[in-house]
């Protein structure tokens, strides 16, 4: 909003809801003849141009009080309250201005409808939008705006008539304070929470927001409640502002937003624009110094609010850079050959001509949540969910519904691994302070695929010392890698999300050790229990053995199933990395059926695996195959589960 005084003209330029409005008034052609009212109005204009908004507002109000028919200050007051997002007050003055002379500023009718929409007066908004649309001089852009808002107001009316279940619960005094807490992130086991708190600097006055800083805090979920949170401290937190973070499902990787301060980026960090995305890795219980994600992701514009996919291969974030659909869009970058690809816009199914914020990809790697004011909504920015298809594209966004969404703005929602509970921040009454963190049970229709996790510790089987090992989680139905991560190099711990309704192969490998494999067949249910198991890797020595649990055969046959290729390729990789290793492929059966037939079956299965390896480049002189039938059971053949364990293929090192 700019006021300019030129000789006998007053040019008033308002940018009201993104629409430029230009009035040219002769000095004596105000809608008021009161010299006192005009003087107050012009003094308010001067103060506004000095960015002294509050003082200017009082003078504009004074001008309107002196002359109740003075339209210009009423319109300016409307915009000032709109800028402050005090929509009821803005609407009060807009009504007054329109009542005096509807023809003075015809576009005010559209602005009134917008304010009504933002305050939940949907029927009134639709009425005024239709009135405004009857103007024959409307541009195509205006017609599009009217149609979009009409669709949103109609949606909002229906949403209120069909509310979704919503009972938010405050996270309690361990997390929330009299200050603002927001931007939650949780690990897949729901055991660790990281969030942003905005509080005064040490010794700074509490009533001076400019002296408040943003820091990260963390809390543990113990015995059904969140414990007293602690500041993450350096090197993550600085005297500057850190916020808008996300963490990997295992809590080992953090992406965070760091913004340029008056003296540059804090703590010597190097930035590329006003705000950049950085990353840090947790090793043991310590976080590394944050590093800039680089030019593939960051730009000279505002880049913020990162979200990471559970496999660590895609980063979603918001940016105000050019080339998008609207003023702020969601973008993504993918990890290919250990490098991040140049960021691309997420596309028309999600981004609009409005603003999109707060991306969050659930641990199922299919269900995506975000905030938008460009899709049909309740008022401002609403929360949406959209599903990713098998081909990687996204479907149609679905509004989370009322009262999760309101006529105000909703941002920054995340969902736990199990998919039944969401976390977000709110200023609702009854909290501990300004913004508090809440959780609520997510309605069934907008839940992701339930995700459990495989959690444990990697050790050396001989010494018992912790190991850093590589984890690969592979979807056996598609052959695609769902996760590719490393255990902690200090304590050997790991945690990998496991979406339900799929079959998985898990491979664990470390240099100098035989790899370990598991397979999981998870039913599509929210009650899938987590796997908690420590894995001991065997050093490569003569006689060391690993069970190839992801090699599968047709029933009572030695024909390999297609799903076996993942494990066989892993074995090929191991033999190529360790060219001096020679080994035996051993086939085993349970004790069901004829011993002679089982012996033949076990021998043929071992030979089939050997032949696959040779066909794919492994020297036959390094390998042998032998069948053992049921002579070497791992566990007693007393149950179906035990017999399944005994039906296996093994690789034994015969020469290192």
């Amino acid at each position: 909003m700019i006021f300019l005084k030129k000789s006998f003209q007053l040019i008033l330029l308002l940018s009201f809801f993104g629409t430029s409005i230009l009035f040219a008034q002769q000095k004596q052609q105000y809608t008021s003849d009161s010299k006192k009212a005009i003087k107050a109005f012009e003094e308010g204009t001067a103060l506004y141009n000095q960015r002294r908004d509050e003082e200017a507002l009082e003078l504009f109000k004074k001008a309107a009080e002196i002359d109740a028919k003075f339209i210009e200050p009423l319109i300016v007051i409307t915009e000032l309250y709109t800028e402050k997002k005090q929509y009821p007050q803005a609407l009060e003055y807009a009504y007054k201005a329109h009542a005096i002379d509807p023809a003075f500023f015809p576009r005010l009718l559209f602005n009134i409808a917008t304010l009504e929409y933002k305050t939940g007066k949907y029927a009134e908004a639709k009425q005024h939008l239709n009135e405004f649309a009857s103007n024959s001089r409307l541009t195509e852009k205006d017609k599009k705006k009217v149609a979009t808002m009409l669709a949103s107001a109609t949606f909002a009316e229906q949403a209120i008539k069909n509310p979704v279940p919503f009972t938010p619960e405050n996270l309690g005094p361990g997390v929330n304070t009299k200050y603002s807490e927001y931007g939650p992130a949780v690990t897949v086991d729901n055991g660790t929470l990281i969030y942003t708190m905005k509080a005064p600097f040490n010794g700074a006055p509490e009533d001076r927001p400019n002296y408040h800083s943003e820091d990260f805090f963390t809390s543990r979920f113990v015995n059904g409640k969140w414990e007293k949170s602690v500041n993450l401290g350096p090197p993550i937190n600085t005297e500057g502002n850190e916020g808008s973070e996300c963490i990997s499902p295992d809590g080992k990787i953090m992406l965070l937003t760091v913004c340029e301060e008056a003296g540059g980026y804090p703590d010597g960090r190097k930035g590329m624009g006003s705000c950049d995305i950085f990353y840090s890795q947790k090793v043991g219980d310590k976080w590394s110094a944050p590093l800039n994600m680089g030019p593939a992701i960051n730009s000279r514009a505002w880049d913020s609010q990162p979200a990471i996919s559970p496999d660590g291969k895609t980063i979603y974030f918001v940016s105000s850079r050019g080339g998008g659909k609207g003023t702020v869009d969601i973008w993504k970058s993918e990890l290919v050959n250990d490098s991040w690809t140049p960021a691309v816009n997420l596309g028309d199914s999600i981004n609009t001509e409005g603003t999109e914020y707060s991306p969050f990809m659930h641990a199922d790697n299919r269900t995506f949540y975000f905030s938008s004011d460009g899709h049909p909504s309740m008022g401002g920015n609403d929360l949406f969910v959209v599903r990713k298809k098998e081909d990687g594209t996204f479907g149609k966004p679905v509004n989370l519904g009322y009262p999760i969404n309101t006529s105000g703005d909703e941002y920054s929602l995340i969902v736990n691994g199990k998919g039944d509970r969401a976390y977000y921040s709110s200023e609702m009454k009854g909290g501990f302070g300004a913004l508090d963190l809440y959780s609520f049970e997510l309605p069934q229709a907008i839940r992701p695929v339930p995700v459990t996790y495989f959690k444990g510790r990697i050790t050396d089987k001989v010494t018992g010392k912790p190991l850093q090992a590589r984890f690969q989680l592979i979807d056996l139905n598609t052959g695609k890698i769902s996760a590719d991560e490393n255990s902690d190099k200090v304590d050997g711990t790991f945690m990998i999300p496991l979406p339900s309704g799929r079959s998985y192969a898990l491979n664990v490998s470390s240099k100098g050790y035989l790899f370990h494999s598991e397979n999981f067949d998870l039913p599509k249910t929210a009650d899938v229990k987590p796997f908690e198991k420590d894995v001991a890797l065997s050093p490569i020595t003569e006689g060391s053995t690993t069970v190839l649990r992801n090699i599968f055969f047709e029933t009572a046959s030695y024909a390999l199933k297609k799903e076996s290729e993942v494990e066989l390729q892993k074995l090929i990789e191991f033999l190529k990395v360790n060219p001096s290793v020679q080994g035996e492929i051993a086939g085993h059966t349970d004790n069901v059926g004829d011993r002679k037939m089982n012996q033949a079956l076990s021998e043929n299965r071992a030979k089939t695996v050997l032949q696959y390896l040779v066909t794919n480049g492994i020297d036959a002189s390094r390998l042998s195959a032998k069948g053992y039938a049921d002579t070497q059971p791992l566990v007693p053949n007393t149950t179906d589960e035990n017999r399944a364990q005994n039906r296996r293929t093994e690789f034994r090192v015969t020469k290192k």
Side-chain angles (χ1 to χ4, degrees), residues 208 238 373 377 385 405 414 468 596 599 618:
R208 299 285 297 278
T238 67
D373 66 359
S377 67
V385 61
N405 289 317
I414 65 167
Q468 184 176 41
K596 187 176 181 180
Q599 180 63 37
I618 302 301

Side-chain angles (χ1 to χ4, degrees), residues 217-421:
F217 283 73
T218 184
S219 175
R220 294 283 301 165
F221 193 69
V222 179
N223 297 325
K225 67 177 182 179
W226 292 102
E227 291 187 325
K228 181 67 177 176
S229 62
V230 295
N231 191 301
L232 279 187
I236 296 289
N237 290 327
T238 67
E239 292 183 356
N241 291 310
E242 292 79 29
S244 298
E245 86 293 353
C246 71
I247 54 176
S248 58
D250 62 359
K252 297 292 187 180
I253 299 292
M254 180 191 294
L255 304 183
L256 62 149
T257 305
V258 180
C259 295
E260 189 173 16
E261 306 288 331
Y265 271 74
D267 198 29
R269 298 172 185 174
K270 295 181 179 180
M272 303 177 62
S274 60
C275 290
D276 278 3
I277 297 169
F278 286 66
Y279 75 95
S280 175
Q281 184 172 4
K282 189 178 184 182
V283 180
D285 60 354
K286 298 184 182 299
W287 288 97
S288 65
L291 296 174
N292 195 293
M293 292 293 294
I297 291 172
N298 292 312
S299 68
R300 294 180 63 85
W302 177 72
D303 303 300
S304 183
Q305 299 178 9
I308 190 168
S309 62
D311 60 5
K313 294 186 178 298
T314 305
I315 289 177
Y316 305 91
F317 64 99
V318 299
S319 179
S320 61
R321 68 187 64 189
K325 307 295 179 182
T327 53
V328 176
D329 277 5
I330 299 175
W331 297 70
K332 74 171 182 178
S333 174
E334 296 180 327
L335 189 63
V336 178
N337 297 326
D338 296 325
S339 296
W340 292 103
T341 60
V344 296
N345 193 280
L346 210 52
D348 294 338
S349 62
I350 289 177
N351 290 318
T352 66
E353 292 182 358
T355 59
E356 278 69 43
Y357 293 107
S358 309
F360 172 74
M361 176 59 81
H362 185 258
D364 68 356
N365 209 18
R366 295 170 57 192
T367 311
F368 190 74
Y369 298 87
F370 66 101
S371 173
S372 173
D373 66 359
H375 298 280
S377 67
M378 299 294 298
N381 274 74
D382 274 13
L383 295 166
F384 292 82
V385 61
V386 62
R387 317 285 179 174
K388 188 169 72 171
K389 303 175 185 177
E390 290 294 336
D391 63 1
T393 62
F394 287 96
K396 185 177 180 180
V398 174
N399 191 294
L400 296 197
Y402 174 85
I404 296 174
N405 289 317
T406 67
S407 59
D409 290 321
E410 278 74 41
Y411 301 104
S412 191
L413 176 135
I414 65 167
V415 180
N416 67 354
K418 194 176 179 181
D420 63 347
R421 201 150 197 89

Side-chain angles (χ1 to χ4, degrees), residues 5 53 69 181 224 227 266 337 347 363 412 457 470 540 579 635:
K5 182 88 171 288
D53 292 9
K69 300 293 185 181
E181 290 81 25
E227 291 187 325
N337 297 326
S412 191
R457 183 169 176 261
R470 181 185 181 187
I540 301 174
V635 291

Side-chain angles (χ1 to χ4, degrees), residues 121-188:
K121 297 183 176 181
Y122 303 117
E124 294 91 333
K126 289 170 68 175
Q127 177 184 338
H128 287 127
L129 284 168
N130 286 321
E131 282 184 45
F132 181 69
S134 65
N135 187 331
S136 60
R137 299 175 63 184
L138 248 60
T139 65
E140 289 302 314
K141 187 176 181 180
D142 285 337
K143 291 177 182 178
K144 188 174 181 180
K145 285 184 176 182
V146 169
T148 299
M149 197 179 300
L150 277 171
S152 287
T154 300
F155 162 80
E157 284 183 316
Q158 293 302 312
I160 289 176
K161 293 176 183 177
N162 300 279
V164 298
F166 181 58
T167 309
E169 299 175 10
N170 194 290
L171 294 196
V175 171
N176 291 313
T177 68
K178 61 183 177 181
Y179 305 116
S180 284
E181 290 81 25
Y182 47 91
V186 295
T187 52
V188 71

